[in-house]
Amino acid sequence: MNESRQQTLPVAIIGGGPVGLAAAAQLLTKGEEFILFESGSSIGSSVLEWGHVRMFSPWHYNIDRAAKEFLLKSGWSPPNEEEPPTGRELVNDYLLPLSHLPEMKTKIYLNAKVVGVARKGLDKLKTAQRENAPFQVYVEIDGETKVFEARAVIDSSGTWRHPNPILSNGLWTKAEKMLENRIYYGIPNVKELESRYKDKAVMVIGSGHSAINALLELADLKGKFPETQIYWAMRKKRVQEVYGGQENDGLPARGELGIKIQKLVDTHQINILTPFYIHGVSETDGKIIVTGDLKGEEVSINGIDEVVVSTGFRPDTRFLQEVRLSTDPAVESVEALAPLIDPNIHSCGTVRPHGEAELRQPEKNFYIVGMKSYGRAPTFLLATGYEQVRSVVAYLTGDFEGAKEVQLELPETGVCRTNLASCCEPSSPAQQPTSSCCGGPVKIEITRSSCCG
Ligand SMILES: Cc1cc2nc3c(=O)[nH]c(=O)nc-3n(C[C@H](O)[C@H](O)[C@H](O)COP(=O)(O)OP(=O)(O)OC[C@H]3O[C@@H](n4cnc5c(N)ncnc54)[C@H](O)[C@@H]3O)c2cc1C
């Protein structure tokens, strides 16, 4: 295909979440054609799954600048910039009005799942004429597979639909899959699922904001139904490691999560199991058994009714098998981003803004952006994603200088290291741990496999 014909093709956007729609707004600003495919029945369908959760970023950080301009021109009333919205508010008050704008609406396909991306006529191995061949995007719509041609592809399909499993080695097992109806991946809407969780023994696994959100909701339920037992399992050595910046966090709502969870731990409303490396999960007599290494000892935690798994997410690249990709072997992020976001190295969530140059793939004009660009790293912020797509679109439309600019200031996390002088580990053999940071009393049955106890 000659280059000028290729230039008339649209840019294909995969995923109608906040970052995909921001990419669309940026393309509209440049007068560039696009098509957007969203697998769900609504724009922002992944966000709606955690719609009951309040975000920690205020509106100010959650609205893309180009999108805001289009919305304001249409008579939209912007929300209070200083307030953090819930996920549902993000969709209802921002993403939906944006997607309904006449210049957007006709270019968005809902219930449209991308199942393959390739260069027309060329598999991954072929190099000759590769850059001149258009992309072919295979999309399942209404039970049919349709093929769309595109001059560039922006993959903003997120990671929400691909949670990590229970086992600390990251493997999915048949046993876990068989317990599907007793395990919730993500953040359950506990208020709506009251009958499922009330007066039950619930184990929450994970140490991120999602786990904290789930625990806070369960603690509210426990206030109403005191028989509810909450267990919190994580790999971190000490629970204080998850409290974060608290009062010093540049995003007060995020700091608040750390403050609230500390209060629950300190008042023994949650039983802490840490560090806990889970090796197996099974069911006996209607109860879930979780086995693993707790503080260096093999144990079985018996008597659990429900498990909430908030162990993060991983990107799905199966539909990109014919695209030349470069991702980090550990983080599974875009390769150049890994040193900036690797949670093994960075204790804080502050990641410097970046753009097209860092996101460039060996496959010319193909980009992974948004949550998915961070792979398994949990520190992605929408404001970063908006800056990513601004830069990528600038590059795709020939504004190479604009692509290099950094037009974003991010809030600092505040505290990147906490004082972890442990209250659980006595500083002298005579001193006994006293503070509640070691967790409240564990009431469920723990079987230790060691004969010596
Ligand atoms: C509970 C929670 C709270 C958060 N709070 C904040 C916050 O306060 N501030 C902040 O900056 N960030 C926050 N984040 C992180 C992040 O900003 C969000 O996850 C955000 O939704 C990521 O946007 P995205 O567009 O990259 O991906 P998503 O919102 O996940 O959107 C991806 C879309 O792609 C669609 N899709 C997936 N696969 C396909 C396919 N094959 N074909 C077509 N469509 C597909 C999905 O249905 C989805 O709608 C939060 C995340 C969570 C989970």
Side-chain angles (χ1 to χ4, degrees), residues 15 18-19 38-39 45-46 55-57 114 157 161 371 381-382:
V19 179
E38 164 54 49
S39 57
S45 62
S46 289
M55 297 180 79
F56 45 76
S57 312
V114 173
S157 59
R161 303 198 179 280
M371 189 78 188
L381 289 177
L382 277 182

Side-chain angles (χ1 to χ4, degrees), residues 13-21 37-40 42-47 50 53-58 61-62 85 90 112-115 139 156-162 187 209-210 213 251 313 316 319 369-372 378 380-384:
I13 301 168
I14 308 173
V19 179
L21 276 185
F37 305 107
E38 164 54 49
S39 57
S42 164
I43 278 301
S45 62
S46 289
V47 176
W50 50 270
V53 179
R54 192 158 294 284
M55 297 180 79
F56 45 76
S57 312
Y61 289 111
N62 301 333
L90 184 77
K113 183 177 180 186
V114 173
V115 291
V139 190
S156 51
S157 59
T159 55
W160 178 259
R161 303 198 179 280
H162 301 277
I187 311 169
H209 294 122
S210 296
N213 272 303
L251 295 170
F313 300 88
D316 177 18
F319 66 87
V369 298
M371 189 78 188
K372 189 169 181 175
F380 176 75
L381 289 177
L382 277 182
T384 310

